[in-house]
Amino acid sequence: MTSIKQVSIQTLQDMKSAGDRIAMLTAYDFFMAQTLDEGGVEILLVGDTVGMAVGGHSTTIPVRLDQIVYHAEMVARGASRAMVVGDLPFLTYQVTTEDAVQNAGKLMQAGKVHAVKLEGGRSMVPIVKSILRAGIPVMGHLGLTPQSVYRFGGWKVQGRDAVSAQQVRDAALALQDAGCFAIVLEAIPADLARDVSQSLDIPTIGIGAGPHCDGQVLVTPDMLGVTGFTARYIKHYAQLRTVIHDAVRQYVADVKSGSYPTEQHAY
Ligand code: KIV
């Protein structure tokens, strides 16, 4: 039996050094995690987008820690090679560092993730350091951080003007210095993402951040065409909603016509 070498922080660091790009996708359940792992992604993110892409909410804000733990545990069981990263949901890490460490610990212990991800810039530095002191690796997330969507006044590209671009640059360096092993850059101009990626030793993972990051992440049900969500940054690699519609219509027609089930499907 060949043993599968699990992706680690060091693997990701080596990939950045070698100029090998990192593929990351979201996963929320066992079978999808297994399929994406078999497909070769390096990182499976149990994102709080589960609230939108699975739960039908319009933001990630309603998602709770127990829900992420529930999904993370399934994903971790399905992953053989990929690193599993769990999102810390809204208000599970912003209030006190004690809460942040406890909640990150729960996600790692009960959800079996290998690392946690949290959103935010400089103000997150003490929180990142505390979580790391507990032995839990942290991925940062800058730019259009969805848990702050109302503060941004909507789903708007961040870092367009000189001041906010500099804030992203400074925050990225601060998160790296605090010990983050990678940073997601969401919805920022491609030139800014390139500058940030070049200025950091740790990998950047882009989403709506252009082609110059060290890796890419997408929300799997979006990229597979399940949710029907489209945006300029998304490439649809399949149209599974159409495939499912066709299959369901055929099933309904077969049941109604009596052509399924037949004797062949009987015990
Ligand atoms: O929750 C999530 O899926 C994310 C990605 C969009 C990066 O944070």
Side-chain angles (χ1 to χ4, degrees), residues 51-251:
M52 300 174 76
V54 177
H57 291 290
S58 58
T59 73
T60 58
I61 291 167
V63 175
R64 301 186 312 267
L65 184 66
D66 59 308
Q67 294 170 322
I68 292 286
V69 168
Y70 176 72
H71 288 279
E73 203 269 334
M74 298 181 217
V75 170
R77 226 170 320 124
S80 305
R81 172 180 171 270
M83 171 187 280
V84 179
V85 178
D87 250 344
L88 283 171
F90 181 61
L91 283 196
T92 63
Y93 59 97
Q94 296 96 331
V95 183
T96 68
T97 48
E98 288 76 13
D99 277 357
V101 176
Q102 289 282 356
N103 290 329
K106 269 186 211 155
L107 188 45
M108 185 174 245
Q109 195 167 49
K112 314 275 196 311
V113 300
H114 305 130
V116 299
K117 177 167 79 59
L118 53 76
E119 300 180 6
R122 280 191 167 279
S123 62
M124 288 299 129
V125 163
I127 291 165
V128 169
K129 286 184 175 170
S130 300
I131 296 174
L132 274 166
R133 266 197 297 278
I136 303 165
V138 183
M139 178 181 274
H141 188 160
L142 294 171
L144 173 52
T145 45
Q147 292 172 17
S148 304
V149 63
Y150 292 122
R151 181 161 61 78
F152 295 138
W155 304 96
K156 295 178 182 163
V157 174
Q158 300 298 302
R160 278 199 194 276
D161 62 85
V163 173
S164 66
Q166 194 53 44
Q167 276 169 358
V168 174
R169 285 194 195 93
D170 292 346
L173 285 169
L175 289 177
Q176 170 174 272
D177 290 348
C180 284
F181 71 90
I183 301 177
V184 169
L185 298 177
E186 179 160 356
I188 61 170
D191 288 353
L192 175 60
R194 185 197 51 221
D195 290 356
V196 171
S197 304
Q198 287 174 355
S199 74
L200 296 183
D201 298 323
I202 58 172
T204 59
I205 313 283
I207 174 164
H212 310 297
C213 294
D214 302 303
Q216 176 67 35
V217 59
L218 283 175
V219 172
T220 301
D222 290 344
M223 81 91 157
L224 292 179
V226 177
T227 55
F229 179 67
T230 57
R232 181 172 164 157
Y233 71 87
I234 298 176
K235 179 169 173 182
H236 291 107
Y237 285 84
Q239 291 295 347
L240 291 193
R241 202 179 179 102
T242 308
V243 173
I244 295 168
H245 271 152
D246 292 348
V248 172
R249 283 198 194 99
Q250 188 59 56
Y251 170 77

